[in-house]
Amino acid sequence: MASNGAIPFWRAAGMTYITYSNICANLVRNCLKEPYKTEALSREKVHFSISKWTDGKPEKPAIRSDSPEE
Amino acid sequence: MAMAALRREGRRFAPLISPRPITAVRSPPLAPSHEDEGPIGVRYVSTQVVRNRMKSVKSIQKITKAMKMVAASKLRAIQTKAENSRGLWQPFTALLGDLPSVDVKKNVVVTISSDKGLCGGINSTSVKISKGLHKLNSGPEKETKYVILGEKAKAQLVRDSKKDIELIITELQKNPLSYTQVSVLADDILKNVEYDALRIVFNKFHSVVSFVPTVSTVLSPEIVEREAESGGKLGDLDSYEIEGGETKGEILQNLAEFQFSCVMFNAVLENACSEQGARMSAMDSSSRNAGDMLDRLTLTYNRTRQASITTELIEIISGASALEG
């Protein structure tokens, strides 16, 4: 892959495109006026429980419950 | 008075203490609390037992009917979301194609299932297809790993494919499904798993009665480059102009991540719709079965009741005729 232009700053910081777009979306949501702002922010809450397995053994599950990423 | 006593008997069937014209030849086993023996040795089930069973079957029928209506209302809510999300991945398929037959070294099978049960056979079909994909893609130098969403697939896959599991994700439906949630999830998967090709297994929602298990394939950027060289649909990628000073490799990487996120979003929504639809039809058939069971039990109950009344009548009359001579 030829390095034509510089690597975008977010990729250099270790973020994926998805993380980048989520942060941008959150910024846009924060620009809304009340009451739409609280509605939008509460709509986008995240909750799931993820557990990584190695060699057939589960590790302790981590619960990712946060409001949209900051 | 005898008839009144008999009627009381038929309704309550309590142990026999009430005053009746008892003749000396009355057979004791006619006191029914459990097995009932008529004079010829024909056996009937006690009406008490049948009545209890009828009561429980009726309440089960009510519960399943209520569950069906709840599932129908939930289905209405997510169906529009699912149909709208189809527009997210269609451009990707138009651009990059969907190549399930691609031959890669590191396959990751993402199985999507539900957390709750009582939804018919959809989770078993997803797991069956995942296992089939695993077998299809196994061979020298090739490996297949599982990423599991949902409790039901976890329960089935943990039993025999323990060492191939990479990640397990549950409690996804605590909040109503949104793109943010699924994209965070997709991000976590991408960070934790090395892959050449991701195969997402879910149940596509065609209509309330038809859920088709489908596999969507998302390739990693390196494999896209490889396939582009061999021509075919991906070979046209070079004919696109790239704006913005990024290289083709970077764009492919961004596209691959975004494609995965969009395909996952659609897959999770469609699977949720299929789950509610399957639950509707499962609860509907179970209500109908409960209704049939209730009919049969009612017949048994009436038959038993009438038979016992008849035997009492026979006794009384034979007793009376014995007295007369």
Side-chain angles (χ1 to χ4, degrees), chain B residues 258-280:
Chain B
F258 192 44
Q259 181 189 14
F260 178 52
S261 173
C262 294
V263 173
M264 275 292 285
F265 181 52
N266 183 60
V268 170
L269 278 179
E270 301 253 0
N271 203 57
C273 281
S274 309
E275 174 198 342
Q276 300 297 343
R279 186 165 296 139
M280 258 180 74

Side-chain angles (χ1 to χ4, degrees), chain A residues 1-13, chain B residues 243-251 254:
Chain A
M1 293 164 204
S3 48
N4 237 345
I7 297 185
F9 63 94
W10 43 271
R11 182 75 66 182
Chain B
E243 286 182 26
E246 291 187 337
T247 62
K248 179 175 168 200
E250 274 164 26
I251 291 202
N254 295 345

Side-chain angles (χ1 to χ4, degrees), chain B residues 4-274:
Chain B
L6 280 171
R7 255 179 273 128
R8 256 180 286 136
E9 283 306 304
R11 235 173 296 142
R12 271 192 336 236
F13 261 100
L16 237 27
I17 336 165
S18 57
R20 296 166 63 229
I22 297 180
T23 67
V25 295
R26 194 173 86 68
S27 36
L30 269 182
S33 318
H34 307 289
E35 289 277 22
D36 204 357
E37 283 217 27
I40 324 171
V42 181
R43 292 155 63 114
Y44 302 103
V45 183
S46 148
T47 56
Q48 179 85 331
V49 170
V50 178
R51 221 193 357 248
N52 284 340
R53 211 167 146 80
M54 275 168 59
K55 220 184 331 176
S56 63
V57 170
K58 210 181 289 190
S59 63
I60 288 181
Q61 189 182 30
K62 286 201 192 125
I63 292 175
T64 49
K65 265 205 195 128
M67 283 183 76
K68 173 186 172 190
M69 285 195 272
V70 165
S73 70
K74 284 194 180 160
L75 176 67
R76 253 195 312 265
I78 24 176
Q79 191 169 349
T80 32
K81 269 198 202 169
E83 280 170 12
N84 291 338
S85 78
R86 285 187 190 153
L88 266 182
W89 57 263
Q90 274 157 0
F92 278 109
T93 318
L95 175 69
L96 296 171
D98 191 341
L99 303 168
S101 55
V102 70
D103 192 21
V104 290
K105 291 219 189 67
K106 293 212 187 94
N107 282 296
V108 175
V109 174
V110 182
T111 314
I112 305 189
S113 68
S114 59
D115 277 344
K116 304 210 176 105
L118 291 182
C119 48
I122 52 170
N123 293 320
S124 312
T125 42
S126 288
V127 168
K128 211 169 25 163
I129 298 224
S130 311
K131 288 190 183 160
L133 277 179
H134 179 101
K135 230 193 231 176
L136 200 64
N137 284 313
S138 55
E141 288 187 9
K142 289 207 271 193
E143 51 155 347
T144 316
K145 293 262 171 207
Y146 290 110
V147 170
I148 304 178
L149 270 81
E151 294 275 347
K152 294 289 150 190
K154 166 183 166 188
Q156 292 191 28
L157 283 173
V158 152
R159 238 182 286 146
D160 50 2
S161 311
K162 257 184 155 179
K163 50 186 179 41
D164 285 327
I165 298 180
E166 193 69 45
L167 283 175
I168 293 194
I169 297 141
T170 49
E171 292 181 35
L172 195 58
Q173 295 222 26
K174 192 158 172 212
N175 299 330
L177 291 171
S178 68
Y179 179 73
T180 319
Q181 167 137 343
V182 180
S183 64
V184 172
L185 177 64
D187 194 29
D188 271 352
I189 296 180
L190 284 176
K191 286 203 180 115
N192 280 318
V193 161
E194 283 183 21
Y195 68 98
D196 284 336
L198 287 151
R199 296 172 200 274
I200 306 172
V201 178
F202 63 101
N203 291 86
K204 201 173 163 85
F205 181 78
H206 283 285
S207 79
V208 182
V209 294
S210 109
F211 336 102
V212 181
T214 32
V215 182
S216 293
T217 316
V218 173
L219 305 171
S220 76
E222 297 90 20
I223 302 294
V224 171
E225 294 263 10
R226 194 189 82 185
E227 293 293 318
E229 279 153 32
S230 53
K233 192 158 193 194
L234 288 174
D236 293 335
L237 274 184
D238 278 330
S239 60
Y240 287 92
E241 258 185 43
I242 305 182
E243 286 182 26
E246 291 187 337
T247 62
K248 179 175 168 200
E250 274 164 26
I251 291 202
L252 273 182
Q253 182 150 23
N254 295 345
L255 277 181
E257 292 171 1
F258 192 44
Q259 181 189 14
F260 178 52
S261 173
C262 294
V263 173
M264 275 292 285
F265 181 52
N266 183 60
V268 170
L269 278 179
E270 301 253 0
N271 203 57
C273 281
S274 309

